[in-house]
Amino acid sequence: MAKLILSFCLCLIWTFGATCMQLISRSEWQAQEPDGDIDNLRIPIDKVIISHTASGPCNERRVCEGKIKNIQKQQMDILGFSDIAYNFLIGNDGNVYEGRGWSKVGAHTRGHNADSIGISFIGTFSYEEPTENALNIAKSLIAEGVRLGKLSSGYKLFGHRQFSSTDSPGDSLYAIIKKWPHWSKK
């Protein structure tokens, strides 16, 4: 039986040109099934929280998929989460990887999971920046969330460190997102 391909490519025009976003579905990166039920988010969501995975970066799909599988396994087996913590992950390969997606409550930011979408960049961005392509893809994902009505048009954007004692999303990435539209001090 042929494998059903669920990814799609979405192109959005930004002031700096066109960005195509490919969403790699859970089935495509071969996610484990969640361990139990996960609550649904109340749509539209008003907060986007950006983090990093505090791992090595990935620059090609095969490597990114392997890292995401390891992250999911660690979060489920060691931390006791029912699934991968993030709603979406962004690789330096320019792909968006579906975690819990637009409709399920994440486990990325204690006390703020039920009212936010968690987007995590794969890697550690304390001194290095994600690729320009990865940054543009994250912007495209957020714009698509607004277009679909999953995010409110007045959403607020935060770094993970604003809600938790962590370096995430790393100094370099945090400095970048503070310049994005909708960034909020709180």
Side-chain angles (χ1 to χ4, degrees), residues 1 10 32 35 43 76 79 83 85 89 92 95 97 101-102 104-105 107 121 134 140 148 156 160 162 180:
M1 178 193 282
L10 172 71
Q32 294 179 47
D35 185 19
I43 305 295
M76 291 177 75
L79 299 177
D83 195 2
L89 297 100
N92 272 345
N95 289 317
Y97 295 86
W102 293 114
K104 299 295 182 183
V105 173
F121 283 76
S140 294
L148 292 171
K156 292 182 179 181
H160 187 207
Q162 291 175 265
W180 287 6

Side-chain angles (χ1 to χ4, degrees), residues 9-21 136-145 147:
C9 186
L10 172 71
C11 292
L12 299 172
I13 304 299
W14 295 92
T15 56
F16 46 83
T19 298
C20 288
M21 178 183 76
N136 291 338
I137 293 301
K139 292 177 187 176
S140 294
L141 175 65
I142 293 168
E144 178 66 357
R147 188 190 74 77

Side-chain angles (χ1 to χ4, degrees), residues 3 8 20 26-27 31 35 43 59 73 76-77 79 82 108 113 116 121 126 136 140 153 164 167 173 179 181:
K3 180 181 175 188
F8 66 90
C20 288
R26 290 176 62 89
S27 64
D35 185 19
I43 305 295
N59 298 308
K73 182 170 179 46
M76 291 177 75
D77 294 351
L79 299 177
S82 57
H108 49 84
N113 293 312
S116 68
F121 283 76
S126 298
N136 291 338
S140 294
S153 60
S164 181
D167 288 336
L173 181 53
K179 298 174 186 169

Side-chain angles (χ1 to χ4, degrees), residues 75-88:
Q75 290 177 340
M76 291 177 75
D77 294 351
I78 297 171
L79 299 177
F81 295 170
S82 57
D83 195 2
I84 194 163
Y86 315 109
N87 297 90
F88 297 97

Side-chain angles (χ1 to χ4, degrees), residues 60-121:
E60 60 184 67
R61 182 173 167 175
R62 178 186 56 77
V63 174
C64 291
E65 288 177 353
K67 286 186 177 292
I68 294 167
K69 286 179 200 176
N70 287 337
I71 290 166
Q72 184 188 39
K73 182 170 179 46
Q74 177 189 34
Q75 290 177 340
M76 291 177 75
D77 294 351
I78 297 171
L79 299 177
F81 295 170
S82 57
D83 195 2
I84 194 163
Y86 315 109
N87 297 90
F88 297 97
L89 297 100
I90 308 288
N92 272 345
D93 64 339
N95 289 317
V96 175
Y97 295 86
E98 180 185 30
R100 295 187 183 202
W102 293 114
S103 63
K104 299 295 182 183
V105 173
H108 49 84
T109 311
R110 184 174 294 170
H112 299 276
N113 293 312
D115 64 351
S116 68
I117 291 290
I119 299 173
S120 194
F121 283 76

Side-chain angles (χ1 to χ4, degrees), residues 49-54 119-130 158-164 166-178 183:
I49 301 175
I50 303 291
S51 65
H52 68 190
T53 61
I119 299 173
S120 194
F121 283 76
I122 302 168
T124 303
F125 300 102
S126 298
Y127 304 105
E128 295 181 26
E129 298 177 356
F158 301 94
H160 187 207
R161 64 177 57 183
Q162 291 175 265
F163 300 107
S164 181
T166 180
D167 288 336
S168 180
D171 291 341
S172 293
L173 181 53
Y174 189 59
I176 291 168
I177 66 168
K178 285 170 63 174
W183 184 79

